[in-house]
Amino acid sequence: ALKALEALKKTTDLKILFVSSTTGIDDGNFNQNSYKGVTDFIEEYTKCSADTLMEETGRPKECRRFLEENISKYDVIVCAGYLFARIGEIAEKNPSKYFILIDSDLKYTDGSNALSPNVYAMTFSEEESGFLAGVSAAMETKSGKVAIVTGIPYASNVNYQYGFMSGVKYVNETQRNNVKCIELEDHSGVDANSNPVGGNYVGAFNDPDSGKKIAEELIAEGVDIIFVAAGESGNGVFDAIKEADGVMAIGCDVDQYDLGKTDNGNIVLTSVIKRLDLNVKKQLENIAAGKFMGGNFILDATSESTGYVGEDGRHQLSETTLTALSNVYKLLKSGSIVPASYYNGITPETFSSK
């Protein structure tokens, strides 16, 4: 079996196109970790190659046109982000191409659901990682006030928000704490269906100035831990936290500990993750091995696709909190805890640990 695998790695010749959202592959977050799955694959399958392109408009119609103009010379197209969701017709017109869609189900241009045998569409149970962030924040806060700052109220971001608020509520209910999630009315989110979702939304993933302003307002309200799920806008949140005293950040999607370095230490408490790199690489391997299967898939704790950073030297959590997170993660895996999410009908208000 090992010899067969090595032979496959030598003979497989895939041309891969990675298309990032507007923040590019060096965003230190979503795009960068997704692209790492491609580069990790190429390190092993050395005859394969990859190019990267960034879609600059952030408009779904332009994203589709952008793909149609660039996919002809590639075997696999990896699309990073919700803006590339409505490519159902493109996939059907190009049945010999493989598509890996990250953070959205596949849809047609009218927004209706699509399924195609050449498209693997992965979404994540971000509410699980958000829940872990909420537990961390509620157990480590000294002021009793915590918050989340997010980019745009897409489903994935609302999942993070609802999960975070559920995690705080869980700690309050199980430990009789009284930690408050602070929401600024001027930055409350409204989803694509015009439904209010609360939270603190920047309104963009590439606006660090606005991210910093929101963080400063939260810090002025007494918040001492902020969960940052805002892409490049989150860099501004990090800047505000670094300039404050006694405030910490929780990173998102990937391990962001290195981004928290200051002259006097580090402002990152921990990071909660979804394994973008691992799952992108897995699907590329499936293509190479002839085992690819299209469909819409939700990835969660049962496949280690959500989680938190607890490795030595990459967090500043207490042993008590680490123990609590380990126990909570087991409960998430077993389904004993189901945090609120955008899709499951549970809200932060109706979530209960009981």
Side-chain angles (χ1 to χ4, degrees):
L2 287 175
K3 288 182 178 179
L5 181 60
E6 289 303 319
L8 177 66
K9 291 179 181 180
K10 291 177 182 178
T11 60
T12 298
D13 182 9
L14 293 173
K15 294 181 174 61
I16 304 164
L17 174 64
F18 182 90
V19 188
S20 77
S21 61
T22 55
T23 53
I25 62 169
D26 297 320
D27 60 358
N29 198 289
F30 175 79
N31 286 302
Q32 186 167 332
N33 190 245
S34 298
Y35 183 54
K36 183 176 182 294
V38 177
T39 57
D40 286 351
F41 172 78
I42 290 174
E43 284 182 7
E44 295 184 24
Y45 293 73
T46 54
K47 288 196 173 184
C48 297
S49 61
D51 291 331
T52 63
L53 291 172
M54 180 177 72
E55 204 295 311
E56 298 180 352
T57 69
R59 294 191 293 271
K61 184 176 180 180
E62 292 302 310
C63 288
R64 291 192 295 274
R65 184 183 63 79
F66 187 75
L67 280 182
E68 288 181 311
E69 291 177 352
N70 289 287
I71 64 176
S72 61
K73 61 182 178 180
Y74 296 97
D75 303 303
V76 186
I77 299 89
V78 182
C79 302
Y82 183 83
L83 291 170
F84 298 99
R86 300 186 181 191
I87 61 170
E89 289 90 347
I90 295 175
E92 290 177 359
K93 290 177 184 176
N94 295 274
S96 64
K97 309 289 184 182
Y98 294 98
F99 295 83
I100 299 172
L101 179 57
I102 307 167
D103 248 11
S104 180
D105 288 342
L106 179 66
K107 298 182 182 298
Y108 291 114
T109 54
D110 64 1
S112 61
N113 293 328
L115 283 174
S116 184
N118 59 331
V119 181
Y120 181 97
M122 66 179 82
T123 56
F124 292 80
S125 295
E126 293 93 356
E127 67 274 11
E128 293 181 345
S129 294
F131 189 88
L132 296 165
V135 169
S136 300
M139 292 190 68
E140 296 286 346
T141 179
K142 295 179 174 61
S143 70
K145 295 180 180 180
V146 300
I148 176 173
V149 175
T150 45
I152 299 173
Y154 295 147
S156 58
N157 284 83
V158 178
N159 281 347
Y160 272 132
Q161 176 203 334
Y162 281 10
F164 178 78
M165 297 173 78
S166 298
V168 172
K169 190 174 183 182
Y170 176 85
V171 172
N172 285 340
E173 290 182 350
T174 57
Q175 300 190 22
R176 297 185 178 180
N177 289 8
N178 189 30
V179 178
K180 293 180 174 61
C181 288
I182 304 302
E183 299 175 274
L184 302 172
E185 186 175 350
D186 289 346
H187 303 291
S188 180
V190 177
D191 70 10
N193 298 314
S194 300
N195 298 313
V197 295
N200 302 292
Y201 285 87
V202 177
F205 291 107
N206 57 353
D207 186 357
D209 290 340
S210 294
K212 183 176 183 181
K213 180 177 180 295
I214 292 172
E216 289 171 342
E217 291 179 37
L218 289 168
I219 292 167
E221 291 284 333
V223 170
D224 67 346
I225 298 178
I226 302 176
F227 175 33
V228 188
E232 189 179 345
S233 298
N235 294 342
V237 180
F238 271 59
D239 289 341
I241 294 172
K242 289 177 180 180
E243 294 172 8
D245 184 29
V247 182
M248 302 200 80
I250 295 177
C252 185
D253 282 350
V254 299
D255 181 353
Q256 294 192 298
Y257 196 75
D258 292 338
L259 295 178
K261 290 179 180 177
T262 68
D263 292 339
N264 301 313
N266 199 303
I267 55 95
V268 170
L269 179 64
T270 186
S271 301
V272 295
I273 57 176
K274 53 186 185 183
R275 292 303 306 273
L276 304 161
D277 55 342
L278 181 73
N279 285 289
V280 169
K281 182 173 184 281
K282 181 178 179 180
Q283 292 313 311
L284 291 170
E285 289 173 338
N286 284 342
I287 293 169
K291 296 179 180 179
F292 183 85
M293 180 182 297
N296 297 323
F297 299 88
I298 301 174
L299 306 174
D300 58 19
T302 60
S303 60
E304 306 287 338
S305 294
T306 60
Y308 63 96
V309 175
E311 289 76 22
D312 289 346
R314 306 300 299 179
H315 70 89
Q316 299 181 77
L317 298 166
S318 68
E319 287 299 321
T320 300
T321 301
L322 283 173
T323 299
L325 288 173
S326 177
N327 292 333
V328 163
Y329 194 56
K330 292 174 185 176
L331 294 173
L332 289 170
K333 275 187 171 182
S334 69
S336 299
I337 292 178
V338 181
S341 84
Y342 186 68
Y343 294 110
N344 66 9
I346 304 172
T347 67
E349 291 74 26
T350 60
F351 168 81
S352 176
S353 64
K354 301 172 184 177

